[in-house]
Amino acid sequence: MKKTLIILSTLLTLLMSCSDDNTANQSTQTNITFSFSHNWDGIPVTNADFNSLQFTNANGETLSIERLRYLVSDIVFTTSTNEVLSLDDYNLVDVTNGNNLSFSPTGLIPSGNYSNVSFTFGFNNEDNSENYLDLNSASFNVPDMLGGGYHYMQLDGKYIDNMSEESGYNYHAIRAVDNPGTNATFPQDTFFRVNLGAVNISDDATFNIGMNIAEWFKNPNLWDLNQLDTVLMPNSTAQIMMFQNGQSVFSLDNVSQ
């Protein structure tokens, strides 16, 4: 009996020791916030600047912004050991109405060093096939004949065309589609992942992310609004050009903790 008690005492000591080690080594769980700001080649842009012909794109066209809203989803944290932590969430950033410029994905992230943090512009194809009541209410849908799902972005406004007249533009990013209708096909994916780079998280963190709106019109494709202003959703070539230009639109300004 005495031998049994000694063994039990030893096991209890070992278990308490392991428990203490685990507690000591456990990372702090942190809240993450993504905050989006907007600029035109470094000049801050808010909805107070909308509805005024005050921006000049790389092609020399003067334009306004009347509506800007876009979708971000699938936040991914990659650890220094290549472990992937995914927050399966999404947010419709509505600059026009000043809504959802900041959002906190559901779930906590352990503190520590991360080799990369990223998000998806738009939805990947699997997420795009689901039904979202809030996006439906916001009229963010794409017509079934164009493949269904949801917009990635709506950027609308006016510009001065080559006849010196005011014309409208609808720079709408969706999944690129050919053969609109019942036999629609998809030439390539046009959602894209935005990599923010390495970061060390020690406490609750806010990722301050900037969108340079001017980049949508210039890099690598110089955008001529006189040629590509409206009816861009069924134009797969235009959608692929948007996908290419979008690669340089977002940047991480800083991380506040």
Side-chain angles (χ1 to χ4, degrees), residues 77-206:
F77 288 76
T78 305
T79 70
S80 55
T81 57
N82 290 323
E83 180 185 1
V84 173
L85 306 178
S86 181
L87 300 178
D88 187 16
D89 212 339
Y90 66 91
N91 182 56
L92 178 59
V93 182
D94 185 350
V95 186
T96 309
N97 296 303
N99 294 332
N100 302 328
L101 301 181
S102 293
F103 84 108
S104 297
T106 303
L108 301 176
I109 290 294
S111 60
N113 291 310
Y114 291 89
S115 60
N116 189 47
V117 179
S118 66
F119 64 86
T120 295
F121 173 76
F123 274 145
N124 64 31
N125 297 333
E126 180 180 0
D127 291 339
N128 204 28
S129 66
E130 297 183 15
N131 185 42
Y132 303 90
L133 297 181
D134 56 336
L135 299 181
N136 297 342
S137 297
S139 299
F140 211 58
N141 311 70
V142 171
D144 288 341
M145 67 175 297
L146 293 176
Y150 297 89
H151 286 79
Y152 302 159
M153 181 178 71
Q154 293 173 327
L155 170 56
D156 303 307
K158 300 288 195 302
Y159 74 101
I160 303 302
D161 64 21
N162 53 15
M163 301 296 291
S164 299
E165 296 181 354
E166 192 173 297
S167 297
Y169 72 87
N170 306 113
Y171 195 109
H172 290 192
I174 65 170
R175 186 183 185 186
V177 61
D178 285 328
N179 308 312
T182 56
N183 296 312
T185 57
F186 306 99
Q188 75 165 63
D189 292 333
T190 43
F191 65 88
F192 57 85
R193 183 154 290 281
V194 178
N195 294 306
L196 302 176
V199 65
N200 175 263
I201 297 178
S202 58
D203 204 344
D204 292 349
T206 296

